[in-house]
Amino acid sequence: METSPNISCSNVTVTNSFLIRILGSLAALSVTTCLFALCWLFYLKLHRQFLYRLAAYQVIVSLLHAVITMSQLAFLNYNDSKHTSCVAIGYLYHVAVWTKACFGCWITFHLFCFAVLLKNMRKLEPLYVISSMLFPIAISFVPLITESYGPTG
């Protein structure tokens, strides 16, 4: 079976090359979708409303996550487990995933307070944003101390 000529690593098979292209295409589609959503949100001036701002934060973090996923594909076949770029991308990936989860929890909390408790928690927006940024940075820093970032398997 003949391998693709544009693959530089010798341990990439045709099947892996196809999967890498599919993952790259999906990540590019995700970036495009997030950019479209942000442009549409600002075009309709929805960012002035609190709940839409929370959704915009979620979309911005999803955009960051998609860009990091695309950059992970460049280092997919590195054999050096201590490569600085791999560690940095692993750290950024964990920060993006945790930040998405935190914003999702805050949106759920806000909707619960608004719909069930009939309280508007709009004044807590700085807490939502700051905690959703600082908590993931702190949690994702732990594997840097233990040198746990690197290739899996």
Side-chain angles (χ1 to χ4, degrees):
M1 187 174 271
E2 189 174 315
T3 60
S4 179
N6 59 352
I7 301 294
S8 60
C9 296
S10 61
N11 58 351
V12 175
T13 63
V14 174
T15 306
N16 289 344
S17 171
F18 180 71
L19 290 176
I20 290 170
R21 287 187 186 127
I22 286 178
L23 289 175
S25 300
L26 290 175
L29 179 66
S30 180
V31 168
T32 306
T33 305
C34 289
L35 287 174
F36 177 76
L38 285 174
C39 290
W40 192 253
L41 189 123
F42 283 104
Y43 176 74
L44 295 176
K45 297 179 179 153
L46 295 174
H47 62 280
R48 295 178 183 166
Q49 298 174 10
F50 176 66
L51 196 56
Y52 286 108
R53 273 198 311 273
L54 288 180
Y57 298 144
Q58 183 83 6
V59 170
I60 290 169
V61 175
S62 295
L63 176 67
L64 175 69
H65 182 262
V67 168
I68 292 169
T69 301
M70 284 177 29
S71 64
Q72 278 183 330
L73 296 176
F75 300 102
L76 195 61
N77 290 308
Y78 266 62
N79 292 329
D80 184 16
S81 64
K82 301 297 180 199
H83 196 270
T84 307
S85 299
C86 292
V87 172
I89 289 174
Y91 174 75
L92 291 175
Y93 183 80
H94 278 208
V95 168
V97 168
W98 274 99
T99 305
K100 282 176 65 173
C102 287
F103 273 119
C105 289
W106 281 124
I107 289 171
T108 304
F109 172 75
H110 179 76
L111 290 175
F112 175 78
C113 289
F114 188 73
V116 176
L117 302 177
L118 302 175
K119 291 185 179 181
N120 193 355
M121 307 297 273
R122 178 178 294 186
K123 61 185 177 221
L124 294 179
E125 182 178 3
L127 173 71
Y128 293 166
V129 175
I130 291 171
S131 65
S132 293
M133 298 303 279
L134 292 180
F135 179 72
I137 288 172
I139 292 296
S140 299
F141 190 71
V142 172
L144 281 177
I145 296 170
T146 61
E147 296 181 7
S148 299
Y149 286 120
T152 58

